[in-house]
Amino acid sequence: MHSKDTVHQDRFKEENIKAEEAIANGNLSEAAAILVTIVEKNPENWRAFNNMGILSWSQNAWNDAYTMFRKSVSLRPDYTDALVNLFDAALKLRKIHEVSGIFEDSYTKNPEIEEIAILHECIRDQGDEIYHSRRAFAVGIYNPVLEEAKKELDSGNLYKAMDLFLQVNDKEGPNPEAFCGLGIISYYQERFDDAFVLFSESLKLNPTDKETFLNLLDAAKACNRLVDAQNFFTAFRNEFEELAVLNEHFFIPEKKD
């Protein structure tokens, strides 16, 4: 989630910064109190509404977050932080069609702003396929069946969770979270080769998921496929620099200058 306002100085800047720091530190009640005070005094404070969206997002209140980001953008249509957050929220909730006009208007008025141009291009060119993009998988499309499957998995109801994860893949197409969930179940059942394959399938769809890479590594150690895991990781690490933080886990030496 994006929260830094780099374009305009806004009212209550210090208060917003305190709220952002509170969110970052997990002090959500403190952040909420600050933000409510801001909007009571300044109902058009776009930065506060964006921060309210971030606060809601951190609590998995996806619809509330979406509403707050839309409010922020309505108050300042060129606020790129809120536009990026609104795009991700719309992706998660499969509501891109509801906001496509907002991004069209924003691009028409601000074609020079790179972030806006990129988002507009994604919506224009990808259509419904946008929900199967790597960004969508990274954000995590909200799916009530998937959420129920995760709860069943957390409760140890492996067969119920398995059935629900399979439903997600069967009805909506390959889903990285569903594959990961099935991999975790296979690991718990000591079917380590199956777990390795399922984690691999998850990562092919969402190759920047660090937690799933660590799951893959655990499965690889359990079924003597460590070299395969290292090769798999290296292929994606060369494409995605953010994966370099996992080098030590996969016993990959850091590059020397």
Side-chain angles (χ1 to χ4, degrees):
M1 291 283 101
H2 294 249
S3 62
K4 185 179 180 182
D5 184 353
T6 58
V7 181
H8 296 290
Q9 293 294 321
D10 63 289
R11 291 181 64 191
F12 299 96
K13 179 179 179 180
E14 291 184 4
E15 290 87 343
N16 267 308
I17 291 174
K18 288 180 181 178
E20 290 159 12
E21 291 174 346
I23 294 171
N25 292 327
N27 300 323
L28 304 187
S29 296
E30 177 186 346
I34 294 170
L35 293 170
V36 168
T37 299
I38 294 173
V39 298
E40 286 177 346
K41 295 179 179 178
N42 181 204
E44 297 188 354
N45 193 288
W46 63 82
R47 183 167 177 174
F49 280 108
N50 183 56
N51 285 331
M52 282 183 163
I54 295 171
L55 178 63
S56 296
W57 187 276
S58 70
Q59 297 172 309
N60 297 340
W62 316 120
N63 282 292
D64 290 344
Y66 172 81
T67 299
M68 291 299 102
F69 295 140
R70 282 198 72 159
K71 177 67 174 179
S72 179
V73 169
S74 73
L75 293 170
R76 205 185 103 194
D78 66 341
Y79 188 14
T80 56
D81 290 343
L83 282 165
V84 170
N85 291 338
L86 176 61
F87 180 82
D88 285 343
L91 260 185
K92 190 168 194 73
L93 296 172
R94 293 182 178 269
K95 291 185 176 183
I96 288 293
H97 62 285
E98 292 186 7
V99 298
S100 59
I102 293 173
F103 287 92
E104 179 71 33
D105 292 344
S106 185
Y107 173 71
T108 300
K109 295 174 183 176
N110 307 280
E112 75 286 353
I113 300 179
E114 184 179 5
E115 293 96 329
I116 295 175
I118 291 172
L119 297 177
H120 170 261
E121 181 180 346
C122 289
I123 295 172
R124 181 194 65 198
D125 295 346
Q126 295 186 34
D128 286 344
E129 286 302 309
I130 199 167
Y131 298 117
H132 300 282
S133 65
R134 283 186 173 176
R135 183 173 186 134
F137 286 142
V139 169
I141 301 296
Y142 176 72
N143 182 315
V145 177
L146 186 61
E147 295 304 311
E148 184 181 352
K150 292 177 184 177
K151 290 179 182 178
E152 295 292 346
L153 178 58
D154 290 341
S155 298
N157 302 322
L158 300 188
Y159 289 103
K160 179 61 176 178
M162 182 187 300
D163 180 61
L164 293 169
F165 283 130
L166 289 171
Q167 282 185 40
V168 172
N169 277 343
D170 290 342
K171 293 181 179 180
E172 300 192 17
N175 182 291
E177 291 185 86
F179 276 124
C180 184
L182 291 168
I184 292 171
I185 293 169
S186 294
Y187 187 89
Y188 286 161
Q189 295 176 333
E190 299 187 359
R191 295 184 288 110
F192 302 121
D193 278 298
D194 290 344
F196 183 91
V197 171
L198 289 162
F199 291 138
S200 298
E201 291 302 314
S202 176
L203 289 164
K204 289 174 185 176
L205 294 169
N206 185 15
T208 59
D209 189 330
K210 300 179 183 66
E211 191 66 33
T212 302
F213 264 113
L214 294 177
N215 290 340
L216 177 78
L217 183 59
D218 287 340
K221 292 176 180 177
C223 64
N224 297 315
R225 297 188 63 176
L226 184 56
V227 172
D228 291 338
Q230 289 171 328
N231 292 337
F232 188 87
F233 169 73
T234 300
F236 284 110
R237 184 206 54 183
N238 291 338
E239 184 177 357
F240 301 99
E241 293 181 359
E242 60 265 40
L243 293 177
V245 297
L246 298 179
N247 281 351
E248 63 178 303
H249 294 281
F250 283 85
F251 314 107
I252 308 293
E254 295 290 342
K255 292 182 180 180
K256 295 183 179 180
D257 297 330

